[in-house]
Amino acid sequence: MDNIFYQRVEALRALMRENHWDIVIINGSDPHASEYPANRWKQVEWLSGFTGEAGDIVVTENHAGLWTDTRYFIQANKQLAGTGIVLHKMRVPEQVPIPQWIASLGMDEPCIAIDGLCETMGSVRELRESVPGAVIFPVPDLLGGLWENRPSVPSSPIITLGEDLVGRSRESKLSWLRKWLVMQKADAILLSALDDIAWMLNVRGSDVEYNPVVISYLLVTLEDAQWFVRKDAFSEPDSDTQDSFQELQADGIQIRDYSDIHFALESLKESGVDVLCLDPATTNVSLREAVDAGERIPLTLEAASPVSAQKAVKNETEIAGMREAHLEDGLVMVQFLYWLSTRAGQVNEWEASEYLHSLRARISGFRGESFETISAYGPSAALPHYSTPRVGSALIEPRGLYLCDSGGQYLFGTTDITRTVPMGPCTALEREDYTLVLRGHIDLAMAVFPRGTAGCHIDALAREPLWQAKRNFGHGTGHGVGFFLNDHEGPQELRQNFNSVPLEPGMILSDEPGIYREGMHGIRHENVLLIRSAGDNEFGSWLCFETLTLCHYDTSCLELSLLTQAEKDWLNAYNARVCRELSPRLPAEVAAWLRDKTRPV
């Protein structure tokens, strides 16, 4: 076959035969367990052509499969055509995860090769438990010999954020982390997750598209902190990055080269570290091997990094910044939707996304989108993570539904908003789906729940209106949102998968139920919510949500008979608030349009 991805899989099989590997696993992450890897580590895309944000590949002598979830089934079927790679569906009742699938092959002591830099300790442990006789070979940069002109490890300018922006100094954060180490009876912790490191050091960069992070590792001991980062690209003495390095060094942070991490881990014991904390969910196998390669090996304590939970609860400065970000972003969104309402039949999906970008770029403090904008009309929106093509995108016609999922990165916060809007007459099914999804969104936003509740306990609130109509959506209902950091942030989430992390005041989550009909339409309504205290009584402490997003919901295609009075009251109050807070800062014609759009139902 002349399909380039088929040829790449065959080249990998030749490498497998040469090294006597029975199975190769290529995952979609990077050495830092990132959800969104830099181009250097987009190995799944290079091997298969699949561009979704979640996907892993397994190759044997006679089978190649891609494992991905419900968000990407339609996309995967299209992109895998002709590659010889078969789609394996996840997040469905009949799912068979990779370790269990390999076990089902019944191989006797299979030789499994993995990329040691991109597989975590936790994933390898699961593989060993599922396939007890397997011989696992961690091979750093496994595809390196096949991937010609592979992108290099990225290196972008670095900035530091002051306490006035983030509300807490790096010295304070390091002091807190060292107290945690003392409580664990440990001497050091290695941080691999890029957003954890950015938060700890109050630094930001742009090494990963849409995520303001820096490719690096951070090793914190009771006495010092070493930041392993690419510094060779910043040789100019007067650069902002050099100023940032000097600021960090003045605060006691040692700046070391990114490539030194393995040597540093091999020599830990000699530097007085007897007990090292590693997070098995984010530490790659290659790093663990480096620890074990030292002449005097420290005791390894496996524990979830405390940083992600600490980062998830925003302080008052961060909350104030997020409110400002959503106010500014709301002004952009209303002006965008006004502009779009006058151009049905004249612009396509890509042109709409470009205009939205141009509006956000005018905001002081804008640092780019928080993810790739999904600008999708009609059938395009049936792909939950549709990638809008620059060439050949669909015309936005004066009928049916248009979906736009977008967000901005600002020095003072991160936004994520989805609006589905009618562009003209809608079918009865479009109106019904639109209303049911909005009902689910509102029901979750109105929730009051006891402290200690996890997101999985209340996920059903957003699904109940759809379930009553025997409809559903395959993705999670909500994810954590960072502060001028990753748009997707844990450990909290709203989804059906069991996650025991309790929701806490100060956490920020999205609320985004949806419905998708292949070849017809897709609908999603999304706001960002802040968890707040709702008071105490004899039954305990109670929590609720405050909606941060400020952009009206179009009521013109609602089936009002499907809404309860409480849902109508919430919708009217929200739209009135949007109009009240945004109108004074909008051009006169846009403000008049918004007043009309927010009339009570």
Side-chain angles (χ1 to χ4, degrees):
M1 297 178 65
D2 57 1
N3 183 290
I4 188 173
F5 302 109
Y6 177 87
Q7 294 172 6
R8 288 174 179 174
V9 171
E10 288 304 304
L12 177 56
R13 285 193 171 116
L15 183 65
M16 291 168 63
R17 289 189 289 270
E18 179 182 332
N19 289 278
H20 307 290
W21 300 331
D22 299 306
I23 299 168
V24 164
I25 301 174
I26 301 293
N27 78 20
S29 190
D30 67 3
H32 305 272
S34 305
E35 181 181 11
Y36 303 102
N39 288 335
R40 176 175 179 79
W41 292 291
K42 290 184 177 180
Q43 300 185 98
V44 168
E45 180 178 337
W46 179 85
L47 186 62
S48 69
F50 173 70
T51 59
E53 295 157 358
D56 302 319
I57 288 178
V58 176
V59 177
T60 70
E61 182 60 36
N62 52 26
H63 183 84
L66 170 80
W67 275 252
T68 191
D69 63 57
T70 53
R71 295 171 294 171
Y72 303 105
F73 290 168
I74 300 171
Q75 175 182 340
N77 278 322
K78 292 179 178 178
Q79 292 182 326
L80 296 180
T83 65
I85 300 173
V86 176
L87 171 63
H88 290 251
K89 297 181 177 181
M90 296 295 289
R91 290 188 191 167
V92 294
E94 65 274 15
Q95 71 174 20
V96 181
I98 287 174
Q100 288 71 34
W101 183 84
I102 292 176
S104 73
L105 299 178
M107 291 185 179
D108 183 28
E109 298 185 351
C111 295
I112 304 174
I114 60 173
D115 188 327
L117 285 173
C118 296
E119 289 286 352
T120 65
M121 295 163 53
S123 64
V124 171
R125 177 178 294 114
E126 183 183 359
L127 185 60
R128 291 190 191 280
E129 291 172 351
S130 299
V131 193
V135 180
I136 299 176
F137 293 93
V139 183
D141 286 329
L142 189 149
L143 295 180
L146 303 178
W147 189 347
E148 296 181 3
N149 301 315
R150 183 176 182 177
S152 60
V153 177
S155 183
S156 64
I158 297 165
I159 63 170
T160 54
L161 303 180
E163 197 170 344
D164 58 324
L165 281 175
V166 297
R168 192 172 174 187
S169 68
R170 66 182 63 89
E171 298 97 319
S172 167
K173 294 175 180 179
L174 287 167
S175 176
W176 157 78
L177 185 57
R178 288 182 174 124
K179 289 177 182 177
W180 181 86
L181 284 173
V182 170
M183 293 177 62
Q184 305 302 312
K185 296 181 172 57
D187 303 304
I189 182 171
L190 175 67
L191 299 181
S192 295
L194 301 180
D195 56 335
D196 283 1
I197 296 168
W199 181 87
M200 279 295 305
L201 297 180
N202 291 344
V203 298
R204 299 295 189 269
S206 55
D207 285 356
V208 180
E209 193 173 19
Y210 308 117
N211 298 316
V213 295
V214 182
I215 300 292
S216 58
Y217 297 100
L218 181 63
L219 181 63
V220 178
T221 73
L222 296 175
E223 305 297 333
D224 59 33
Q226 301 177 57
W227 190 29
F228 298 84
V229 59
R230 286 205 58 194
K231 57 182 182 178
D232 55 313
F234 307 115
S235 57
E236 294 297 325
D238 58 347
S239 70
D240 290 341
T241 296
Q242 287 297 333
D243 291 344
S244 297
F245 283 167
Q246 291 171 9
E247 178 186 331
L248 290 161
Q249 288 169 327
D251 285 340
I253 312 297
Q254 299 177 37
I255 309 297
R256 300 188 59 179
D257 194 79
Y258 182 69
S259 61
D260 288 344
I261 182 62
H262 288 82
F263 173 76
L265 293 176
E266 290 172 4
S267 55
L268 272 179
K269 193 82 173 182
E270 288 82 344
S271 59
V273 173
D274 293 317
V275 181
L276 171 68
C277 286
L278 296 176
D279 186 341
T282 57
T283 306
N284 67 60
V285 175
S286 181
L287 293 181
R288 178 55 199 259
E289 287 188 328
V291 173
D292 293 341
E295 290 186 13
R296 300 174 62 227
I297 302 172
L299 175 67
T300 300
L301 175 64
E302 294 188 11
S305 166
V307 177
S308 60
Q310 187 84 178
K311 169 167 52 67
V313 178
K314 306 299 184 279
N315 60 49
E316 289 303 317
T317 301
E318 291 171 319
I319 290 170
M322 290 291 273
R323 288 198 178 106
E324 180 184 358
H326 285 86
L327 173 64
E328 296 290 345
D329 210 68
L331 292 165
V332 163
M333 283 300 302
V334 170
Q335 292 179 82
F336 168 69
L337 293 176
Y338 167 76
W339 172 86
L340 188 68
S341 70
T342 66
R343 283 164 174 76
Q346 302 175 39
V347 298
N348 63 29
E349 298 164 330
W350 177 260
E351 291 166 338
S353 70
E354 285 292 281
Y355 184 73
L356 177 56
H357 169 80
S358 72
L359 292 175
R360 281 198 172 103
R362 299 173 190 172
I363 297 175
S364 177
F366 177 68
R367 290 297 182 270
E369 275 78 21
S370 55
F371 54 94
E372 182 181 2
T373 296
I374 300 170
S375 175
Y377 172 72
S380 300
L383 282 73
H385 279 224
Y386 175 67
S387 183
T388 308
R390 180 186 295 266
V391 177
S393 65
L395 183 70
I396 302 174
E397 300 180 23
R399 58 180 175 82
L401 297 170
Y402 166 76
L403 181 154
C404 185
D405 188 349
S406 67
Q409 293 284 9
Y410 305 94
L411 283 174
F412 41 85
T414 299
T415 67
D416 183 352
I417 176 174
T418 308
R419 286 298 181 267
T420 306
V421 293
M423 297 307 301
C426 293
T427 67
L429 183 60
E430 287 172 329
R431 294 170 63 92
E432 189 174 285
D433 283 347
Y434 182 97
T435 306
L436 291 175
V437 174
L438 186 57
R439 279 194 63 196
H441 171 88
I442 293 172
D443 289 355
L444 179 61
M446 292 193 301
V448 176
F449 47 96
R451 191 160 191 168
T453 297
C456 57
H457 297 147
I458 59 174
D459 175 86
L461 294 176
R463 298 178 188 270
E464 180 64 13
L466 289 162
W467 285 353
Q468 288 292 337
K470 297 183 176 60
R471 299 168 204 186
N472 202 7
F473 56 96
H475 55 73
T477 300
H479 55 81
V481 179
F483 173 84
F484 184 29
L485 262 178
N486 295 0
D487 174 51
H488 288 183
E489 179 179 276
Q492 79 280 16
E493 60 184 355
L494 290 163
R495 62 168 62 248
Q496 291 175 288
N497 308 52
F498 180 72
N499 180 341
S500 62
V501 173
L503 303 180
E504 298 285 350
M507 286 181 172
I508 293 177
L509 291 149
S510 66
D511 171 5
E512 48 182 312
I515 192 167
Y516 311 94
R517 296 183 183 272
E518 185 173 358
M520 298 175 66
H521 60 260
I523 297 162
R524 188 162 60 253
H525 300 304
E526 178 187 16
N527 280 346
V528 169
L529 312 177
L530 168 70
I531 301 176
R532 296 183 57 184
S533 171
D536 302 329
N537 62 14
E538 67 270 31
F539 297 101
S541 297
W542 297 88
L543 303 176
C544 63
F545 292 117
E546 172 194 333
T547 299
L548 297 179
T549 306
L550 289 170
C551 180
H552 67 285
Y553 283 108
D554 196 310
T555 61
S556 63
C557 70
L558 285 172
E559 285 291 347
L560 292 177
S561 62
L562 296 177
L563 292 172
T564 67
Q565 188 58 49
E567 290 160 351
K568 292 178 186 176
D569 291 344
W570 185 96
L571 179 59
N572 287 334
Y574 177 73
N575 274 352
R577 175 191 164 205
V578 169
C579 187
R580 182 175 63 253
E581 295 193 24
L582 299 187
S583 291
R585 292 184 54 188
L586 290 169
E589 68 276 12
V590 181
W593 176 83
L594 179 61
R595 284 192 291 271
D596 182 63
K597 282 291 183 182
T598 54
R599 294 183 187 279
V601 296

